Amino acid sequence: MEYSTKTYKFKLRLTQNQETLVNEYISTSRCLYNLALETRLYAYSSKKVNWNYYELSSQLTELRKEFDWIR
């Protein structure tokens, strides 16, 4: 059985303000992802502890209280 796939390509036309907000969201997401990855790797390499989503999520809640840019 063959499947045909369709793809669509869109280009967003954003205002300068919207573009700034999108870039901030992407940068924040990238930073938090890398921080969570680093935390998991460090915890596993030093203590042989494997942290799950819920433990990392609770740390994110604490980070939101400390840093305004994460909100």
Side-chain angles (χ1 to χ4, degrees):
M1 179 189 286
E2 283 189 42
Y3 294 100
S4 65
T5 59
K6 292 183 180 182
T7 60
Y8 297 95
K9 197 176 209 181
F10 294 98
K11 183 168 182 160
L12 297 175
R13 294 187 182 129
L14 304 173
T15 64
Q16 186 66 35
N17 189 26
Q18 291 170 329
E19 187 175 340
T20 302
L21 283 174
V22 168
N23 286 334
E24 285 178 7
Y25 292 150
I26 291 171
S27 295
T28 302
S29 297
R30 182 177 43 244
C31 180
L32 291 176
Y33 175 83
N34 289 333
L35 180 63
L37 180 62
E38 182 182 353
T39 301
R40 287 186 75 180
L41 291 174
Y42 177 75
Y44 187 76
S45 68
S46 65
K47 301 174 188 172
K48 300 296 185 224
V49 176
N50 196 6
W51 286 12
N52 61 18
Y53 168 79
Y54 299 104
E55 292 165 334
L56 290 172
S57 180
S58 66
Q59 284 191 350
L60 179 60
T61 304
E62 295 300 318
L63 284 174
R64 284 184 185 148
K65 292 176 185 175
E66 287 184 42
F67 301 104
D68 289 333
W69 60 272
I70 295 176
R71 291 184 208 160

